[in-house]
Amino acid sequence: MKSKNFLWDRELSLTEFRALKRSHKHIRVVTSIQRKVTELESGQLSNAEILRLAGDRTKFRKWQDAKKGLWSWSVADLDAIIIPKTGEPGPNKKLMERWYAVVQAARGAPTAAEPVQPATESVLERQYIDALARIASLEEALARSIRHGER
């Protein structure tokens, strides 16, 4: 699975990692996500191992195995299905949806094609509250106009 032909595809110290070109850092993370998802989908790991190694995004991000070319990273937005700050799809959404499906199956939970993210829920909640406030203000305006019309 691991290739020794690339400077970035090996165990690196922090200094060596920082010296990499930005594009190589990106390729390293995307390649590692792909390899980790493939490893999880391979069927070679038990449900307990899947949950221990990659049961949540933080564990998935920190999971490292130099022999298999699985590297860790620290930028959380790279493994987000939906970026919480913007509500936009993450850069590796398709891969992370595959990760999500494997983890849900390991937990014994039904998998959803599009899991609802907390950021999406909070946006919808705000929209709902705004709509309720708008309805209340319209009802007040209607009541005022009726009162003024009756005089």
Side-chain angles (χ1 to χ4, degrees):
M1 201 186 293
K2 187 182 145 207
S3 168
K4 295 185 185 226
N5 298 333
F6 300 107
L7 175 65
W8 53 264
D9 201 13
R10 61 182 177 83
E11 210 160 351
L12 299 173
S13 68
L14 186 56
T15 305
E16 289 172 315
F17 179 77
R18 287 182 177 162
L20 287 177
K21 292 180 185 176
R22 184 181 178 115
S23 62
H24 288 172
K25 291 176 187 176
H26 176 75
I27 292 169
R28 178 182 168 98
V29 172
V30 174
T31 302
S32 188
I33 291 173
Q34 174 66 48
R35 288 174 180 166
K36 288 178 182 185
V37 170
T38 301
E39 177 78 14
L40 293 171
E41 291 174 331
S42 72
Q44 296 177 2
L45 300 172
S46 70
N47 288 345
E49 288 175 307
I50 290 171
L51 295 176
R52 181 180 56 81
L53 294 170
D56 59 48
R57 285 180 43 220
T58 302
K59 289 178 183 176
F60 182 73
R61 196 176 309 124
K62 290 182 179 182
W63 176 21
Q64 187 160 321
D65 185 335
K67 291 178 185 174
K68 295 179 180 179
L70 307 178
W71 314 115
S72 62
W73 60 91
S74 59
V75 180
D77 285 351
L78 294 175
D79 56 61
I81 294 174
I82 302 293
I83 297 173
K85 295 174 189 168
T86 63
E88 297 291 319
N92 300 299
K93 180 182 183 213
K94 297 284 184 204
L95 286 170
M96 293 310 296
E97 285 174 336
R98 289 170 49 198
W99 161 81
Y100 182 81
V102 171
V103 170
Q104 289 301 94
R107 289 184 180 139
T111 59
E114 286 288 326
V116 176
Q117 297 296 310
T120 305
E121 290 174 5
S122 67
V123 168
L124 293 174
E125 191 173 62
R126 269 184 276 148
Q127 289 174 345
Y128 178 72
I129 291 168
D130 290 344
L132 288 176
R134 179 74 177 136
I135 290 169
S137 87
L138 290 171
E139 287 175 335
E140 278 183 48
L142 179 61
R144 275 194 307 269
S145 70
I146 291 173
R147 281 194 302 262
H148 291 296
E150 291 178 354
R151 290 186 190 175

